[in-house]
């Protein structure tokens, strides 16, 4: 698959019809509180944006959908009271927290002059999708809410729900839970939560005194870390590459060690991640490369972290830095083993060590690597069942930042995966050649 098709529109002809703040029921002094943010929450203090597309449903015209979502959101601002709050720095402790002051979540109603058919292939990372989520420049919002939702109607009766939220509020797993709860409360006024969130972020607080018991090369004090690096002055392309279920099976077979030839294959994620890492190393000028990818901490902290934990419970696992020759010319199974070892390294003690390292760094650290893989492949956002049906397609809004590969499910090819990556124009052809070379 190539880059952005020329037929996809660059302008979705969107008009903002209204902006508002959705408030929870009136707060009492007992309800207002300050919410502690863990060091991991603070590591993700940036906006996360997603867009969810829906077909037209006669019994749910966009105007009705707007009313339903707005009402459900208001109800959710009780169990998720922090979403109606605002970030602030504690004047005594000097650390970031949420003032759960009921200031409100944002809600925007918009319309497009186009139909969904005219929007084109939704699976491609069209930069125009950025206009389907609320922006910080919206008039009427005195300060930026921790969550804002925009419902954009199309001429065909279909619509998009764009959500912007501070990543410190949710990780991907918890965001999926939030959407399940939104869908549940959208059914009726008396709807019940699918999952009651656990909002105690102190479950991931640092030890006293903090103890750093591992080296942490995945952390850096460099502000130009992978999560903030952009490509300046270099022509770039946002590319989408597709792997079919058969492709993934073939990669998994190639990833077996010689003594595992008749045994179980490695996981799909490890095989695909190793493949993308190799391809990325092919096109970069660096002599060595370190891979970073997110892992869910809940299964690693079963005794201390419930599944319903609502904060950020993910960390970057790293694969040890490898030379370009080791990645490109070496045995593929060794690259896959390096990826696997990254997740195995993240034990409970390792997690506590990271949290303590961040405590010592007083929130100045960020994640660092030469390639960051972030996966939306298995989150299941496309399976959330709203009263008007599940989404046609949903995806994050892709930042044009180098060194980040995003895995998203391909809804048209069950079991397949799309990989979206930003490359310089000079890197595209070489990356693409190696990406599909394994089929030969």
């Amino acid at each position: 698959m190539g880059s952005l098709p020329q037929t996809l529109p660059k302008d979705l002809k969107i008009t903002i019809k209204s902006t508002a703040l959705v408030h929870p029921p009136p707060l009492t002094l007992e309800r207002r509180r300050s919410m502690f943010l863990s060091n991991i929450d603070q590591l993700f203090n940036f906006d996360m944006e997603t867009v969810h597309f829906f077909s037209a449903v006669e019994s749910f015209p966009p105007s009705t959908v707007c009313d339903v979502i707005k009402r459900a959101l208001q109800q959710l601002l009780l169990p998720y009271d922090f979403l109606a709050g605002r970030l602030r720095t504690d004047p005594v402790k000097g650390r970031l927290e949420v003032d759960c002051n009921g200031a409100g979540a944002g809600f925007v109603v918009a319309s497009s002059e186009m139909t969904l058919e005219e929007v084109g292939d939704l699976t491609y990372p069209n930069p125009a999708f950025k206009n389907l989520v609320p922006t910080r420049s919206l008039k009427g919002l005195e300060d930026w809410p921790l969550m804002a939702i925009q419902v954009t109607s199309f001429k065909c009766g279909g619509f998009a729900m764009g959500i912007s939220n501070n990543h410190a509020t949710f990780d991907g797993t918890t965001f999926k839970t939030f959407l399940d709860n939104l869908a549940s409360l959208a059914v009726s006024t008396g709807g019940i939560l699918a999952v009651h969130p656990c909002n105690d972020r102190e479950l991931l607080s640092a030890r006293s005194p903090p103890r750093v018991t591992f080296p942490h090369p995945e952390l850096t004090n460099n502000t130009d870390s992978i999560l903030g690096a952009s490509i300046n002055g270099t022509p770039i392309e946002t590319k989408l590459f597709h792997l079919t279920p058969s492709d993934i099976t073939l990669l998994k077979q190639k990833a077996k060690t010689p003594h595992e030839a008749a045994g179980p294959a490695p996981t799909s994620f490890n095989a695909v991640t190793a493949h993308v890492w190799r391809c990325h190393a092919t096109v970069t000028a660096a002599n060595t490369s370190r891979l970073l990818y997110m892992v869910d901490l809940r299964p690693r902290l079963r005794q201390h972290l419930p599944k319903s934990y609502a904060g950020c419970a993910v960390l970057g696992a790293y694969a040890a830095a490898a030379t370009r020759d080791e990645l490109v010319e070496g045995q593929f199974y060794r690259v896959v083993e390096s990826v696997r070892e990254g997740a195995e390294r993240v034990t409970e003690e390792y997690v506590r060590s990271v949290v303590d390292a961040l405590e010592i760094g007083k929130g100045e650290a960020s994640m660092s690597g030469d390639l960051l893989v972030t996966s939306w492949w298995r989150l299941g956002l496309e399976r959330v069942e709203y009263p008007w049906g599940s989404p046609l397609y949903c995806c994050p809004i892709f930042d044009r930042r180098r060194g980040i590969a995003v895995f998203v499910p391909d809804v048209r090819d069950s079991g397949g995966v799309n990989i979206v990556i930003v490359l310089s124009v000079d890197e595209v052809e070489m990356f693409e050649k190696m990406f599909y070379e394994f089929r030969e």
Side-chain angles (χ1 to χ4, degrees):
M1 285 196 164
S3 57
L4 186 68
Q6 297 300 312
T7 54
L8 293 185
K10 297 180 180 179
D11 181 3
L12 300 184
K13 301 178 180 178
I14 292 173
T15 300
I16 301 297
K17 301 173 72 174
S18 67
T19 64
L21 287 170
V22 178
H23 299 280
L27 292 173
T28 65
L29 290 177
E30 289 76 24
R31 283 202 187 110
R32 183 166 181 170
R33 67 188 179 101
S34 295
M35 187 177 79
F36 173 89
L37 290 177
S38 76
N39 292 335
I40 297 177
D41 291 329
Q42 299 190 56
L43 197 61
F44 291 89
N45 181 21
F46 53 86
D47 290 341
M48 179 173 68
E49 299 173 326
T50 58
V51 60
H52 313 250
F53 294 94
F54 297 88
S55 299
V57 176
E58 187 175 352
S59 55
F60 283 97
S63 59
T64 299
V65 168
C66 284
D67 292 340
V68 171
I69 292 177
K70 191 174 183 179
R71 171 181 53 76
L73 176 61
Q74 183 177 39
Q75 290 179 266
L76 282 178
L77 294 182
L78 283 179
Y80 293 101
D81 61 339
F82 56 90
L83 292 179
R86 296 292 184 268
L87 287 177
R88 71 175 184 187
T89 300
D90 183 289
V92 177
K93 299 178 181 178
R95 62 178 294 133
L96 203 64
E97 63 181 15
V98 178
D99 179 11
C100 301
N101 58 4
F107 193 80
V108 181
V109 178
S111 63
S112 169
E113 298 176 22
M114 306 178 72
T115 65
L116 277 175
E117 185 175 0
E118 291 169 334
V119 171
D121 189 345
L122 301 178
T123 63
Y124 276 87
N126 190 339
F129 290 170
K130 180 79 173 176
N131 296 317
L132 295 172
V133 298
T135 64
R136 287 184 177 270
S137 60
L138 289 174
K139 295 179 180 179
L141 304 182
E142 294 179 0
D143 55 353
W144 188 238
L146 292 179
M147 169 168 282
I149 297 178
Q150 176 175 321
V151 179
T152 304
S153 59
F154 294 95
K155 283 202 313 182
C156 58
F159 64 95
M161 180 175 67
I163 302 176
S164 173
N165 65 283
N166 189 299
H167 206 330
T169 60
F170 294 136
D171 60 21
T173 298
T174 311
F175 182 58
K176 164 64 163 56
T177 301
F178 170 82
L179 293 178
D180 284 334
N181 282 331
L182 183 71
S184 181
L185 294 185
V187 173
S188 67
T189 305
I192 60 174
L193 294 178
V195 177
H196 286 271
C198 170
N199 295 329
D200 184 6
R201 309 295 176 95
E202 295 194 29
L203 293 173
L204 281 177
S205 60
R207 295 174 290 197
S208 181
R211 302 190 304 276
V212 181
T213 52
F214 291 88
H216 293 291
E218 74 276 29
L219 299 178
T220 179
N221 290 324
N222 184 357
T223 55
D224 291 326
S225 70
I226 190 170
L227 292 181
S230 60
I231 304 177
N232 297 317
T234 303
I236 59 173
E237 284 190 59
T238 301
K239 297 281 291 187
L240 184 149
F241 299 92
H242 177 63
L243 293 175
T244 67
S246 297
D247 290 334
I248 296 170
T249 298
L250 181 56
L251 280 173
K252 290 166 68 175
Q253 291 298 322
K254 289 179 177 290
K256 288 184 177 183
T257 64
H259 63 274
E260 286 178 334
T267 67
S268 298
F269 176 82
N270 287 354
V272 173
T273 298
H275 178 58
V276 173
W277 188 21
R278 292 184 87 193
C279 295
H280 187 262
T282 303
V283 303
T284 58
N287 291 326
T288 60
S289 175
R290 177 178 288 115
L291 171 75
L292 197 68
Y293 61 95
M294 297 299 110
V295 295
D296 185 3
L297 304 182
R298 292 169 183 83
R300 293 167 168 80
L301 300 170
R302 282 193 177 94
Q303 293 184 347
H304 307 291
L305 209 61
K307 290 183 179 180
S308 59
Y309 179 75
C312 284
V314 291
L315 276 177
Y318 72 90
T323 67
R324 186 177 185 276
D325 286 346
E326 287 172 334
L327 292 171
V328 179
E329 305 297 337
Q331 294 291 332
F332 182 49
Y333 76 84
R334 295 192 183 277
V335 183
V336 177
E337 283 183 340
S338 186
V339 175
R340 175 181 55 79
E341 290 167 358
E344 291 180 348
R345 188 181 294 113
V346 186
T347 61
E348 177 163 355
E349 177 58 28
Y350 190 90
V351 173
R352 298 298 177 185
S353 179
V354 172
V355 172
D356 290 354
L358 293 170
E359 183 76 9
I360 293 171
K362 298 186 182 300
E364 296 299 322
S366 58
M367 289 184 292
S368 176
D370 300 291
L371 174 66
L372 169 66
V373 169
T374 177
S375 180
W376 296 66
W377 189 2
R378 308 295 191 191
L379 285 182
L381 303 186
E382 72 284 357
R383 296 194 298 272
V384 177
E385 187 64 35
Y386 300 88
W388 45 85
S390 296
L392 284 170
Y393 186 70
C394 49
C395 64
I397 300 297
F398 299 101
D399 285 330
R400 293 167 69 80
R401 290 185 285 184
R402 192 175 191 172
I404 299 179
V406 183
F407 295 0
V408 290
D410 189 331
V411 294
R412 299 169 302 183
D413 187 5
S414 180
V417 64
N418 290 332
I419 295 96
V420 179
I421 189 168
V422 176
L423 300 166
S424 72
V425 171
D426 294 337
E427 296 168 342
V428 169
E429 185 176 352
M430 190 185 305
F431 186 98
E432 187 163 11
K433 180 179 183 300
M434 186 168 184
F435 189 85
Y436 294 116
E437 197 173 60
F438 73 94
R439 293 174 175 174
E440 298 173 1

